Amino acid sequence: MTVSAVSSATTSTATTSSSSSTSSSSSLTSSDFLSLLVSELQNQDPLNATSTTDFINQLTSYANFTQQQSINSNMSSLASSFSSLVTLNSVNYIGHTVEAKTDTSTLSNGSATFGYSLSSAASNVSISISDSSGNVVYTGTGTGNSGSNTFTWDGKDSSGNQLSDGGKYTISVTATDSAGNSVLNYTTVTGTVTGIDTSTSTPSLTVNGVAVSAANILGVTS
């Protein structure tokens, strides 16, 4: 016989759910699983009882279910411990000068220095600088050496006006070879880590006044 334990238990559960506004979306717990098995035993036909094999399979499913719950709990604990470890390691960056993959920096002392990496030599390198509102304030050209390149912006807009310190500016680099293919890998900034933000799952470091993921740190220069 195959008694629908789910049907019987679900009927009971549905009755409970009708008096509770939160049951319908609740996840299955260990107690719920046991309730299903008990309901099956209580509601089965004595003249056509559930076979031993079926019942053992259900008990095995319950054991696997309980084990999976334990694994999920342990994984959550491990993730929490790993996050704490990442945070602890990130604190070690404070006060050090680092190079990080990002495209934004803060104008300080009238200038901002960016870096960019090219997979091979470029024939044309165009650079534009935008303010925090997305307005382009500067356009120019850069070096096209294979590997690391540096660009220091003097903080002046295209009209020659000196912009105020403290603003955040973003660099955009277009680098192509003689065939017109892009050879840009990524852009970088170099600056001192002054703080750490742990409000998200991945800690962010404050570099030149800009939040940078710890995963994007390329190296420590001092």
Side-chain angles (χ1 to χ4, degrees), residues 148-159:
S148 298
N149 293 262
T150 301
F151 174 76
T152 299
W153 175 49
D154 60 7
K156 296 180 180 179
D157 62 18
S158 298
S159 299

Side-chain angles (χ1 to χ4, degrees), residues 133-183:
S133 298
N135 302 311
V136 176
V137 297
Y138 170 86
T139 57
T141 59
T143 57
N145 302 318
S146 178
S148 298
N149 293 262
T150 301
F151 174 76
T152 299
W153 175 49
D154 60 7
K156 296 180 180 179
D157 62 18
S158 298
S159 299
N161 301 311
Q162 181 67 49
L163 301 177
S164 302
D165 286 351
K168 291 180 174 57
Y169 294 90
T170 301
I171 189 172
S172 176
V173 179
T174 301
T176 57
D177 59 19
S178 57
N181 300 311
S182 175
V183 293

Side-chain angles (χ1 to χ4, degrees), residues 82-114:
F82 180 74
S83 178
S84 298
L85 179 60
V86 171
T87 300
L88 181 61
N89 287 337
S90 298
V91 170
N92 294 327
Y93 284 114
I94 295 178
H96 291 282
T97 300
V98 300
E99 181 183 15
K101 287 183 180 180
T102 186
D103 57 4
T104 303
S105 186
T106 301
L107 188 63
S108 178
N109 296 322
S111 66
T113 299
F114 300 90

